[in-house]
Amino acid sequence: MSYMRYDSRLSGVLHILLHLAEQNGPMTSEVLARAMETNPVVIRRIMAGLRNQGYVRSEKGHGGGWSLARDLSRITLRDIYTALGSPALLAIGNRTESPDCLVEQAVNTALDRAFHDAEALLLARFGEVTLSMLRAEVHDRLATRGEPYNHDLETVHAS
Amino acid sequence: MSYMRYDSRLSGVLHILLHLAEQNGPMTSEVLARAMETNPVVIRRIMAGLRNQGYVRSEKGHGGGWSLARDLSRITLRDIYTALGSPALLAIGNRTESPDCLVEQAVNTALDRAFHDAEALLLARFGEVTLSMLRAEVHDRLATRGEPYNHDLETVHAS
DNA sequence: TCTCATGTAACTCATGATATTACATGAGAA
DNA sequence: TTCTCATGTAATATCATGAGTTACATGAGA
């Protein structure tokens, strides 16, 4: 498997949650991992965080797996981002935290302003979008295409 | 040396350029590397890019080193960012580029909008700030403090 | 009690950024 | 000319991190 230069967990988790929403029963880490082309343990690790925040449920044993614990209209992208532990948003930053050098202080101040505003913008955008909006968009696209309804994860993500 | 979780080259280079501006003659990679707590070769690699874009000059031999090749008022943070090869700004991104799955398409579209706007904001901010503005800020801070003038890199960055 | 599924610790592996080594090139001083 | 200083750059090594993997424990249902 090739490695990402950036963190794609948010993208991956949203994908999983939307598939769960179109599903009757729970889905196993095994199945989700195949679809996401990763390892079941990785799925469990990520989903464990969401479960602790009350977004999903997990059940052991026969017929067990992962399912949604809350209505999609009450979950924003920002909620999920936070539930993932608020990973770093920016790939660039200052060389040092609180330098003695005045020159460096000036550089840091200028860059920090820009960094802070960009992060605030991202978070604000994330906060405006609920998962139910994304689901609606999926249904719109399906309707536009006029294709038969198929949300089945195994079929869609067949390798 | 401890490692950064993000790219701090922009921050480092700006710092170097502002110190060069307060300097009479050229400064060697050796001296700059000590101040930036890195290796002279790293300095040369980074500065080589800036030289090719016409922002700095390098001279070999006795009395050689790095010096500015353009007025600070004609260099924006964005210029330097670009000269560094426009490194990635965001630390998060989509799992896949152009997925077949409609659900993933919807997720990507939503996230991409936010990502794009945040990047545009950052670049716009970078474009508004010239290095001469930063130098002015340094001088303001010095004046406010009422301290004696000292831009000497070796002194300020004494370990 | 057997199987399935999650829970989690421990470990391995791949990658990319940075650092280091080594040597070539060119400029000025002696 | 020759010595020293400084950049130019290829090749290599190091290190932090994220992701993947293995192994085994726990608990639920058939």
Side-chain angles (χ1 to χ4, degrees), chain A residues 95-107:
Chain A
R95 211 177 63 83
T96 56
E97 285 307 316
S98 34
D100 289 335
C101 173
L102 279 181
V103 171
E104 190 148 20
Q105 284 175 23
V107 170

Side-chain angles (χ1 to χ4, degrees), chain A residues 75-88:
Chain A
I75 308 179
T76 66
L77 301 197
R78 177 159 185 174
D79 291 332
I80 302 304
Y81 166 76
T82 304
L84 287 176
S86 306

